[in-house]
Amino acid sequence: MNLNSLIIVESPTKVKTIGKYLGPEYEVRASVGHVKDLPKSTLGIDPDKGFEPTYQVMESKKKVVAELKKAAAKADQILLAPDPDREGEAIAWHIAEEIGKGKIVRRVLFNDLTHDTILEALAHPLDLDFNRYEAQQTRRILDRLVGYQISPILWDKVKRGLSAGRVQSVAVRVICDREAEIKAFVPEEYWNLTALLEGENPPPFEAKLLKIDGKKAKIGDGERSAEVVASLQSAPFTVSTVEKKEVKRQPPAPFTTSKLQQEASRWLRFSAKKTMSTAQKLYEGIELGQEGPVGLITYMRTDSVRLAVEAINEAREYIAGNYGEAYLPPKARIFKVAGAAQDAHEAIRPSSLAHPPQAIKAFLTPDQFRLYQLIWNRFLACQMNPALLDQTTVDITAAKCLFRAQGSVMKFPGFTTVYTEGKEEKEDNGDENGFGKLLPAVHEGEILKLVELQPEQKFTQPPPRFTEASLVRELEENGIGRPSTYAAILSTIQDREYVLLEKGKFSPTELGTIVTELLVKNFPRILDVAFTAGMETELDRIEEGKTKRLDTLNNFYRPFTEELRKAKKNMTDIKREETPTDIVCEKCGKTMVIKWGKNGRFLACTNYPACKNTKNFTQDEKGEILPEEKTTDVPCPLCGKAMLSRQSRFGKFLGCSGYPECKHTINLAPDGTPVAPAAEGTAPEVLCDKCGKPMALKRGRFGAFLGCTGYPECKNIVKASPSGSPLQSSAPQEISDVICDKCGKPTAVKMGRFGKFLGCTGYPDCKNIMKYKTPAK
């Protein structure tokens, strides 16, 4: 007898993908993510009662939970199918607590959303995994203890709104440490020497100086370079050895989460967040015409390189049929799973090879297609034969020097037919083995003609700033966070304005540097990379049942309370700190000091409040203070004094040098030219997009705006520039990737008086609004 079953997944998209494979005895509903969380206004954890958390049904999910309860009342059993990871396990436990009383409650895990996988999982439901839930609980409690107890100290000592995080702060430290290395780096001069040589057979070829007197060549300056060049001008260049060998290049393993994020960054210029959101959609299901929604890839949060036997066999058949037997190794490739990896899920791969990227391109967005193709190609490549190269190495002696020339040509492309790994900029300097470079036929003892010696001055380079790809790799190699957290870490540290991502490179902001210095000094244990990695290992041990949550929390919290006590007392009070300078205030002649404000550091007169002069500044490489305020040739239209170029959190503007007696300001256009504000009431030839009447320029406490002249019948307003130009586009609303957490419909990007926000497209039936976050580029 079939039981009526309620299947609960996280995402509304999965409802359709799973539902199409099931009969009427199954009802599929979505929780739309977490349904319970710790309270926002209080710590929500009682350290005196075993760190007991106080979970509450989220306000935005009360309606969802009520609907799930109604559906559960009609079901014989509840099958909980959130994502197969720690967060998914927590969602399952919280749903069970709310709707599972008196019901059969089981857990099902979908590694992919294909027909066979879904039916197999439903045929073999599991019990909820208490240890996995405990691991998630421990992480959540640790993060809450750190964030909610360190952040208020930062509010008091630096500024309100700052946050500290158990993992995010360590990630910021990694970036700050790299920046400190770059600033402390002292370039050293060195010289390379290349000989252009000609043998009996064409063409001429280059050989690089490798050794002098049997030791690695080190030429430190131009004088020494000239000496070496002079000693070689009349010396014979003789071929000492010629070595030819076949070199194999093995294919890379299939994607883990971190490797997918790294390669998507290098090849597709995707942020980690964009990679994960796109992969999530590919996993949950894409509408493929008459076939309906199809889950195209396996679960995308994994650090395992394991592949199912069925997937390997399918890949081998596909390679043999589409590329030929020459590309198929005699045995399937089995990749070794790293010792620290959690092997609960397979590597990321196509869920089936029945949907080649080109065949379904019409159903995918450009981003989905590119990422799916990347995953597809990497999966096929990992089961292909290696690439074979014929490599030639020629050593040449001249005087006391040894030169070397290398060349290699592709003999058989193997896996590189479908995939090659991306490289960081530092690595992208040509093949070290001279790939693609052909050398002429030479023989041992052959005397070569010296065509030219090419000395080249170089300087050692500082370590590069982190890209998203290299930062993810650094976090992974140091055990900071887990695959499921990398994208969130990178987004959070940017949202908090602790780091900037400019031209693809991370650098710390002044705020990030100051906060990191304070945290490292006052919480050295928590900001220690090794400690953070050790805590991740502890979470793994809890999931494996090898240690208890309470033991881990007690071991952490006892010393943490003492660190908190000392920090409250001893942490430097940046808000009230003043650093003396030798800059003289041009208004009253007193010296100025460096102070900290809500927009960062600035210069302030020591004669405050009698003199309220302030100015922004920068510092050069030597630490010299350079005031940014500059006198312009623009006269103040009110008092006639010169206007000063100044900076606020809204950008650059001109302020009267007669301040505070004259407080006139002029906004600047993006190109730096002054913008003359239009008079209030001016009609800027803009029609209301709601009633068609003219719009008039008005000014409110939030700045200039256009208001409909049909007011009060029509209350339409549009944000405007000082000159009266509308800032809000009348283009169709932009649909975002974020789903409404109340009704599950898409949200649209809208503009309000405080800036952009996400509004539910179900308006007016659903009036939910959500915070808008600028997408990472």
Side-chain angles (χ1 to χ4, degrees):
M1 175 179 148
N2 288 334
L3 297 174
N4 287 323
S5 301
L6 172 65
I7 301 175
I8 300 176
V9 295
E10 286 182 48
S11 162
T13 307
K14 287 187 191 175
V15 173
K16 294 174 68 177
T17 306
I18 294 170
K20 74 172 190 174
Y21 297 124
L22 305 177
E25 68 273 19
Y26 290 99
E27 181 181 6
V28 187
R29 292 290 190 104
S31 70
V32 198
H34 281 275
V35 296
K36 296 174 78 172
D37 199 3
L38 297 170
K40 289 185 177 180
S41 57
T42 61
L43 183 63
I45 295 160
D46 191 344
D48 297 326
K49 294 183 179 179
F51 300 93
E52 190 64 34
T54 304
Y55 284 105
Q56 302 173 342
V57 175
M58 298 154 65
E59 190 64 35
S60 61
K61 294 299 176 66
K62 287 183 176 178
K63 184 178 178 182
V64 173
V65 171
E67 291 173 349
L68 292 178
K69 282 181 179 177
K70 285 182 184 177
K74 298 180 287 184
D76 299 315
Q77 68 171 347
I78 300 170
L79 300 176
L80 299 172
D83 287 347
D85 57 13
R86 289 176 189 165
E87 290 300 312
E89 201 66 35
I91 293 171
W93 275 82
H94 290 160
I95 292 173
E97 288 171 356
E98 292 300 310
I99 72 170
K101 292 175 183 176
K103 294 285 183 180
I104 300 171
V105 179
R106 305 299 301 278
R107 181 83 162 99
V108 288
L109 304 175
F110 300 136
N111 186 56
D112 59 59
L113 299 183
T114 56
H115 175 271
D116 292 348
T117 299
I118 291 169
L119 296 188
E120 177 68 17
L122 293 176
H124 300 92
L126 308 168
D127 293 327
L128 273 73
D129 191 329
F130 179 72
N131 289 335
R132 181 177 286 180
Y133 176 51
E134 283 285 270
Q136 191 278 341
Q137 288 260 85
T138 307
R139 183 201 63 76
R140 186 75 180 94
I141 292 169
L142 284 169
D143 290 349
R144 177 57 71 103
L145 290 172
V146 171
Y148 268 54
Q149 294 189 84
I150 294 181
S151 296
I153 301 176
L154 294 177
W155 300 350
D156 181 52
K157 305 291 186 179
V158 186
K159 74 171 186 176
R160 287 197 65 82
L162 297 182
S163 74
R166 184 180 59 84
V167 178
Q168 77 175 43
S169 296
V170 179
V172 176
R173 180 185 182 173
V174 169
I175 294 170
C176 289
D177 286 351
R178 176 59 60 87
E179 194 69 17
E181 287 182 60
I182 293 170
K183 288 183 177 178
F185 184 82
V186 178
E188 293 183 6
E189 181 183 5
Y190 70 97
W191 287 70
N192 287 335
L193 185 58
T194 303
L196 182 61
L197 304 167
E198 193 171 17
E200 297 170 3
N201 299 301
F205 63 96
E206 291 182 344
K208 295 185 180 296
L209 177 62
L210 189 67
K211 293 181 179 181
I212 300 175
D213 287 330
K215 297 178 181 178
K216 183 179 178 180
K218 289 184 179 180
I219 303 176
D221 53 44
E223 186 178 343
R224 174 59 178 150
S225 174
E227 290 176 4
V228 175
V229 169
S231 70
L232 292 168
Q233 290 292 355
S234 58
F237 283 73
T238 307
V239 177
S240 56
T241 60
V242 178
E243 181 185 11
K244 294 183 179 181
K245 62 179 180 180
E246 184 181 83
V247 176
K248 288 185 179 180
R249 279 188 178 174
Q250 300 293 343
F255 279 133
T256 60
T257 301
S258 65
K259 288 295 187 288
L260 175 62
Q261 291 173 357
Q262 291 171 48
E263 287 293 272
S265 174
R266 292 167 184 147
W267 282 116
L268 310 180
R269 296 293 183 259
F270 282 10
S271 68
K273 184 177 181 180
K274 182 175 182 177
T275 298
M276 295 309 291
S277 63
T278 307
Q280 181 91 31
K281 290 171 185 171
L282 294 174
Y283 164 70
E284 290 178 349
I286 302 293
E287 288 279 352
L288 300 183
Q290 294 182 347
E291 196 173 346
V294 176
L296 292 175
I297 65 171
T298 55
Y299 190 56
M300 63 285 154
R301 295 186 182 94
T302 176
D303 52 4
S304 173
V305 291
R306 177 177 58 83
L307 292 170
V309 173
E310 298 81 5
I312 292 174
N313 291 338
E314 187 181 14
R316 288 176 62 80
E317 289 178 16
Y318 188 92
I319 292 166
N322 289 272
Y323 295 94
E325 294 292 336
Y327 287 84
L328 190 67
K331 294 181 180 179
R333 289 186 182 278
I334 307 297
F335 293 91
K336 186 177 179 181
V337 178
Q342 298 178 39
D343 199 29
H345 313 302
E346 283 187 68
I348 304 168
R349 61 169 176 83
S351 54
S352 167
L353 295 184
H355 300 103
Q358 289 294 341
I360 60 171
K361 186 175 182 179
F363 301 103
L364 303 175
T365 67
D367 288 344
Q368 289 169 353
F369 171 75
R370 294 167 71 201
L371 190 66
Y372 181 53
Q373 189 172 53
L374 194 72
I375 294 167
W376 175 281
N377 290 347
R378 176 93 167 206
F379 172 59
L380 288 181
C382 83
Q383 292 302 316
M384 283 184 162
N385 266 323
L388 301 179
L389 297 92
D390 280 334
Q391 181 177 301
T392 303
T393 302
V394 179
D395 283 355
I396 302 141
T397 56
K400 297 179 180 181
C401 298
L402 175 67
F403 287 78
R404 176 168 290 174
Q406 284 188 315
S408 59
V409 292
M410 186 71 76
K411 183 178 180 182
F412 174 68
F415 76 92
T416 63
T417 300
V418 294
Y419 190 85
T420 54
E421 284 196 286
K423 290 184 178 182
E424 293 296 311
E425 284 183 20
K426 188 180 179 184
E427 301 167 346
D428 193 15
N429 53 4
D431 194 289
E432 293 177 357
N433 298 321
F435 176 63
K437 185 193 296 182
L438 286 170
L439 294 179
V442 295
H443 57 83
E444 291 183 11
E446 182 177 345
I447 305 297
L448 304 173
K449 177 186 175 183
L450 175 62
V451 178
E452 183 184 7
L453 283 170
Q454 303 165 340
E456 182 184 15
Q457 184 187 34
K458 306 278 278 186
F459 290 91
T460 55
Q461 297 296 311
R465 289 191 172 104
F466 289 109
T467 62
E468 284 218 356
S470 60
L471 183 57
V472 166
R473 183 175 63 192
E474 186 80 6
L475 297 177
E476 181 185 32
E477 289 177 352
N478 286 284
I480 302 169
R482 277 288 178 260
S484 58
T485 63
Y486 296 145
I489 292 169
L490 269 57
S491 294
T492 299
I493 61 178
Q494 293 176 76
D495 292 342
R496 299 294 184 191
E497 298 183 353
Y498 290 149
V499 302
L500 292 174
L501 184 63
E502 295 180 317
K503 296 182 180 179
K505 303 290 181 65
F506 281 110
S507 60
T509 61
E510 183 180 41
L511 177 64
T513 302
I514 288 174
V515 169
T516 299
E517 288 173 354
L518 293 174
L519 292 178
V520 169
K521 184 176 180 180
N522 293 275
F523 298 95
R525 186 175 64 112
I526 291 173
L527 268 287
D528 181 63
V529 171
F531 175 80
T532 305
M535 191 57 70
E536 294 295 339
T537 303
E538 277 294 292
L539 297 178
D540 294 343
R541 284 171 53 78
I542 293 171
E543 182 169 346
E544 294 161 5
K546 294 178 180 178
T547 191
K548 299 294 184 185
R549 167 168 65 114
L550 189 57
D551 293 338
T552 299
L553 292 172
N554 276 326
N555 292 337
F556 168 80
Y557 198 67
R558 289 191 192 103
F560 181 56
T561 54
E562 181 62 17
E563 291 167 342
L564 284 170
R565 185 188 66 78
K566 290 181 179 178
K568 288 175 184 176
K569 181 181 178 182
N570 301 327
M571 184 181 283
T572 304
D573 195 333
I574 300 294
K575 273 185 181 178
R576 298 162 186 85
E577 186 179 53
E578 295 183 352
T579 305
T581 73
D582 56 2
I583 305 293
V584 176
C585 173
E586 73 278 9
K587 295 197 172 181
C588 70
K590 300 282 186 179
T591 57
M592 303 191 80
V593 293
I594 297 173
K595 300 186 74 172
W596 178 266
K598 60 184 178 180
N599 299 318
R601 297 191 301 168
F602 65 97
L603 289 169
C605 182
T606 54
N607 196 24
Y608 179 87
C611 178
K612 298 179 180 178
N613 187 24
T614 63
K615 57 182 71 179
N616 294 303
F617 71 94
T618 58
Q619 287 179 284
D620 61 19
E621 295 176 355
K622 298 178 181 178
E624 192 75 24
I625 296 170
L626 306 172
E628 282 189 343
E629 196 173 73
K630 295 177 182 177
T631 304
T632 70
D633 56 3
V634 178
C636 173
L638 297 186
C639 70
K641 292 184 178 179
M643 300 293 283
L644 302 175
S645 174
R646 309 194 73 173
Q647 176 86 30
S648 77
R649 62 194 176 106
F650 300 110
K652 290 186 176 181
F653 69 98
L654 298 182
C656 181
S657 58
Y659 180 88
E661 289 77 20
C662 178
K663 298 179 180 178
H664 187 63
T665 62
I666 298 176
N667 290 309
L668 295 177
D671 62 0
T673 57
V675 176
E680 190 166 325
T682 301
E685 298 183 1
V686 177
L687 298 180
C688 175
D689 57 7
K690 296 201 173 172
C691 71
K693 292 184 179 180
M695 303 287 277
L697 180 67
K698 297 179 180 290
R699 302 188 190 281
R701 57 178 176 153
F702 300 107
F705 67 94
L706 297 177
C708 181
T709 55
Y711 180 87
E713 289 76 18
C714 178
K715 299 179 180 179
N716 186 27
I717 62 171
V718 177
K719 194 172 182 181
S721 69
S723 62
S725 302
L727 296 181
Q728 181 171 306
S729 171
S730 59
Q733 62 182 1
E734 175 191 347
I735 302 300
S736 82
D737 293 336
V738 179
I739 300 298
C740 174
D741 56 15
K742 285 195 175 179
C743 70
K745 291 185 178 179
T747 59
V749 180
K750 297 176 178 286
M751 177 68 77
R753 62 181 182 178
F754 299 110
K756 289 184 178 180
F757 67 94
L758 298 179
C760 181
T761 55
Y763 182 87
D765 298 319
C766 177
K767 298 179 180 179
N768 187 30
I769 62 172
M770 300 165 68
K771 186 176 181 181
Y772 174 80
K773 292 185 178 179
T774 304
K777 294 183 179 179

